Coordinates of all heavy atoms in Angstrom, one line a residue:
F1 N -13.4 0.1 -4.2 CA -14.0 0.4 -5.5 C -13.8 -0.7 -6.5 O -14.7 -1.1 -7.3 CB -13.5 1.7 -6.0 CG -13.9 2.1 -7.4 CD1 -15.1 2.8 -7.6 CD2 -13.1 1.8 -8.5 CE1 -15.6 3.1 -8.9 CE2 -13.6 2.1 -9.8 CZ -14.8 2.7 -10.0
A2 N -12.5 -1.1 -6.6 CA -12.2 -2.2 -7.6 C -12.9 -3.5 -7.3 O -13.3 -4.2 -8.3 CB -10.7 -2.4 -7.6
L3 N -13.1 -3.8 -6.0 CA -13.8 -5.0 -5.7 C -15.2 -5.0 -6.1 O -15.8 -6.0 -6.6 CB -13.7 -5.2 -4.2 CG -12.5 -5.9 -3.6 CD1 -12.5 -5.9 -2.1 CD2 -12.4 -7.4 -4.1
I4 N -15.8 -3.8 -6.0 CA -17.2 -3.7 -6.4 C -17.3 -3.6 -7.9 O -18.2 -4.2 -8.5 CB -17.8 -2.4 -5.8 CG1 -17.9 -2.6 -4.2 CG2 -19.2 -2.1 -6.3 CD1 -18.2 -1.3 -3.5
Y5 N -16.4 -2.9 -8.6 CA -16.5 -2.6 -10.0 C -16.0 -3.8 -10.8 O -16.6 -4.1 -11.9 CB -15.7 -1.3 -10.3 CG -16.1 -0.7 -11.6 CD1 -17.3 0.1 -11.7 CD2 -15.4 -0.8 -12.8 CE1 -17.7 0.7 -12.8 CE2 -15.8 -0.2 -13.9 CZ -16.9 0.6 -14.0 OH -17.3 1.2 -15.1
D6 N -14.9 -4.3 -10.4 CA -14.3 -5.5 -11.2 C -13.3 -6.2 -10.2 O -12.1 -5.9 -10.2 CB -13.5 -4.9 -12.4 CG -12.9 -6.1 -13.2 OD1 -13.2 -7.2 -12.9 OD2 -12.2 -5.7 -14.2
K7 N -13.8 -7.2 -9.5 CA -13.1 -7.9 -8.5 C -11.9 -8.7 -9.0 O -11.0 -9.1 -8.3 CB -14.0 -8.7 -7.6 CG -14.6 -9.9 -8.3 CD -15.5 -10.7 -7.4 CE -16.2 -11.8 -8.1 NZ -17.1 -12.6 -7.2
S8 N -11.9 -8.9 -10.3 CA -10.8 -9.7 -10.9 C -9.5 -9.0 -10.8 O -8.4 -9.6 -11.0 CB -11.1 -10.1 -12.4 OG -11.1 -8.9 -13.2
Q9 N -9.5 -7.7 -10.6 CA -8.3 -6.9 -10.5 C -7.6 -7.0 -9.2 O -6.4 -6.6 -9.0 CB -8.7 -5.4 -10.7 CG -9.4 -5.1 -12.0 CD -8.5 -5.3 -13.2 OE1 -7.3 -5.3 -13.2 NE2 -9.2 -5.5 -14.4
I10 N -8.2 -7.6 -8.2 CA -7.7 -7.6 -6.8 C -7.1 -9.0 -6.5 O -7.8 -10.0 -6.7 CB -8.7 -7.3 -5.7 CG1 -9.3 -5.9 -6.0 CG2 -8.1 -7.3 -4.4 CD1 -8.3 -4.8 -6.0
H11 N -5.9 -9.1 -6.1 CA -5.2 -10.3 -5.7 C -4.4 -10.2 -4.4 O -4.4 -9.0 -3.9 CB -4.3 -10.8 -6.9 CG -5.0 -11.0 -8.2 ND1 -5.7 -12.1 -8.5 CD2 -5.1 -10.2 -9.3 CE1 -6.2 -12.0 -9.7 NE2 -5.8 -10.8 -10.2
I12 N -3.8 -11.2 -4.0 CA -3.1 -11.1 -2.7 C -2.0 -10.1 -2.7 O -1.8 -9.4 -1.7 CB -2.5 -12.5 -2.3 CG1 -1.8 -12.4 -0.9 CG2 -1.5 -13.0 -3.4 CD1 -1.3 -13.8 -0.4
G13 N -1.4 -9.9 -3.9 CA -0.3 -8.9 -4.0 C -0.8 -7.5 -3.8 O -0.1 -6.6 -3.3
T14 N -2.0 -7.2 -4.2 CA -2.6 -5.9 -4.1 C -2.6 -5.5 -2.6 O -2.3 -4.4 -2.2 CB -4.0 -5.9 -4.6 OG1 -4.0 -6.4 -6.0 CG2 -4.6 -4.5 -4.7
V15 N -3.1 -6.4 -1.7 CA -3.2 -6.1 -0.3 C -1.9 -6.1 0.4 O -1.6 -5.2 1.1 CB -4.2 -7.2 0.3 CG1 -4.3 -6.9 1.8 CG2 -5.6 -7.2 -0.3
L16 N -1.1 -7.1 0.1 CA 0.3 -7.2 0.7 C 1.1 -6.0 0.4 O 1.8 -5.5 1.3 CB 1.0 -8.5 0.3 CG 2.3 -8.8 0.9 CD1 2.3 -8.8 2.4 CD2 2.9 -10.1 0.3
Y17 N 1.1 -5.7 -0.9 CA 1.9 -4.5 -1.3 C 1.5 -3.3 -0.5 O 2.4 -2.5 0.0 CB 1.7 -4.3 -2.8 CG 2.1 -2.9 -3.2 CD1 3.5 -2.5 -3.4 CD2 1.2 -1.9 -3.5 CE1 3.8 -1.2 -3.8 CE2 1.5 -0.6 -3.9 CZ 2.9 -0.3 -4.1 OH 3.2 1.0 -4.5
Q18 N 0.2 -3.0 -0.4 CA -0.2 -1.8 0.3 C 0.1 -1.8 1.8 O 0.4 -0.7 2.3 CB -1.7 -1.6 0.1 CG -2.2 -0.2 0.3 CD -1.5 0.8 -0.7 OE1 -1.5 0.6 -1.9 NE2 -0.8 1.8 -0.1
I19 N 0.0 -2.9 2.4 CA 0.3 -3.0 3.8 C 1.8 -2.7 4.1 O 2.2 -1.9 4.9 CB 0.0 -4.4 4.4 CG1 -1.5 -4.6 4.4 CG2 0.6 -4.6 5.8 CD1 -1.9 -6.0 4.8
V20 N 2.7 -3.3 3.3 CA 4.1 -3.1 3.4 C 4.5 -1.7 3.0 O 5.2 -1.0 3.7 CB 4.9 -4.1 2.5 CG1 6.4 -3.8 2.5 CG2 4.7 -5.5 3.0
Y21 N 3.9 -1.2 1.9 CA 4.2 0.1 1.4 C 3.8 1.2 2.3 O 4.6 2.1 2.7 CB 3.5 0.3 0.0 CG 3.7 1.6 -0.7 CD1 4.9 1.8 -1.4 CD2 2.8 2.6 -0.7 CE1 5.1 3.0 -2.1 CE2 3.0 3.8 -1.4 CZ 4.1 4.0 -2.1 OH 4.3 5.1 -2.8
S22 N 2.6 1.2 2.8 CA 2.1 2.3 3.7 C 2.8 2.3 5.0 O 3.2 3.3 5.6 CB 0.6 2.1 4.0 OG -0.1 2.3 2.8
T23 N 3.1 1.1 5.6 CA 3.9 0.9 6.8 C 5.3 1.5 6.7 O 5.7 2.3 7.5 CB 4.0 -0.5 7.2 OG1 2.7 -1.1 7.4 CG2 4.8 -0.7 8.6
C24 N 5.9 1.2 5.5 CA 7.3 1.7 5.3 C 7.3 3.2 5.1 O 8.3 3.9 5.5 CB 7.9 1.0 4.1 SG 8.4 -0.7 4.5
V25 N 6.3 3.8 4.4 CA 6.2 5.2 4.2 C 6.2 5.9 5.6 O 7.0 6.9 5.7 CB 4.9 5.6 3.4 CG1 4.7 7.1 3.5 CG2 5.1 5.2 2.0
D26 N 5.5 5.4 6.5 CA 5.5 6.0 7.9 C 6.8 5.8 8.5 O 7.3 6.8 9.2 CB 4.4 5.4 8.7 CG 3.1 6.2 8.8 OD1 3.2 7.4 8.3 OD2 2.1 5.8 9.3
L27 N 7.4 4.7 8.4 CA 8.7 4.4 9.1 C 9.8 5.3 8.5 O 10.5 5.9 9.3 CB 9.1 3.0 8.8 CG 8.3 1.9 9.6 CD1 8.8 0.5 9.2 CD2 8.6 2.1 11.1
F28 N 9.8 5.5 7.2 CA 10.9 6.3 6.6 C 10.6 7.8 6.9 O 11.5 8.6 7.0 CB 10.9 6.1 5.1 CG 11.4 4.7 4.7 CD1 10.8 4.0 3.7 CD2 12.5 4.2 5.4 CE1 11.2 2.7 3.4 CE2 13.0 2.9 5.0 CZ 12.3 2.2 4.0
A29 N 9.3 8.2 6.9 CA 9.0 9.6 7.2 C 9.4 10.0 8.6 O 9.6 11.2 8.9 CB 7.5 9.8 7.1
N30 N 9.5 9.0 9.5 CA 9.8 9.3 10.9 C 11.3 9.1 11.2 O 11.8 9.3 12.3 CB 9.1 8.4 11.8 CG 7.6 8.7 11.9 OD1 7.2 9.9 11.9 ND2 6.7 7.7 12.0
C31 N 12.1 8.8 10.1 CA 13.6 8.7 10.3 C 14.2 10.0 10.7 O 13.6 11.1 10.3 CB 14.2 8.2 9.0 SG 13.9 6.4 8.7
H32 N 15.3 10.0 11.3 CA 15.9 11.3 11.8 C 16.3 12.2 10.6 O 16.4 13.4 10.8 CB 17.2 10.9 12.6 CG 18.3 10.4 11.8 ND1 18.4 9.1 11.4 CD2 19.4 11.0 11.2 CE1 19.5 8.9 10.7 NE2 20.1 10.0 10.5
I33 N 16.5 11.6 9.4 CA 16.9 12.5 8.3 C 15.8 13.5 8.0 O 16.1 14.6 7.4 CB 17.1 11.6 7.0 CG1 17.8 12.4 5.9 CG2 15.8 11.0 6.5 CD1 18.3 11.6 4.8
Y34 N 14.6 13.3 8.4 CA 13.5 14.2 8.1 C 13.2 15.2 9.2 O 12.4 16.1 9.1 CB 12.2 13.5 7.7 CG 12.4 12.5 6.6 CD1 12.2 11.1 6.9 CD2 12.8 12.8 5.4 CE1 12.3 10.2 5.9 CE2 12.9 11.9 4.4 CZ 12.7 10.6 4.6 OH 12.9 9.6 3.6
S35 N 13.8 15.0 10.4 CA 13.5 15.7 11.6 C 13.7 17.2 11.6 O 13.2 17.9 12.4 CB 14.2 15.0 12.8 OG 15.6 15.2 12.7

């Protein structure tokens, strides 16, 4: 949406942050503390 509406808002950090963040959310959610 941001790319279409205003691409100036998107930078490398936007993508990198989301990849790391989403991956870690899954990793932490699967830790034994939540089992």
Side-chain angles (χ1 to χ4, degrees):
F1 173 84
L3 276 172
I4 295 169
Y5 202 79
D6 182 8
K7 64 182 180 180
S8 67
Q9 303 294 337
I10 305 299
H11 301 280
I12 184 173
T14 308
V15 179
L16 180 59
Y17 161 76
Q18 200 58 54
I19 291 172
V20 175
Y21 183 78
S22 296
T23 301
C24 287
V25 165
D26 259 352
L27 287 174
F28 293 136
N30 289 322
C31 286
H32 70 278
I33 191 171
Y34 307 117
S35 63

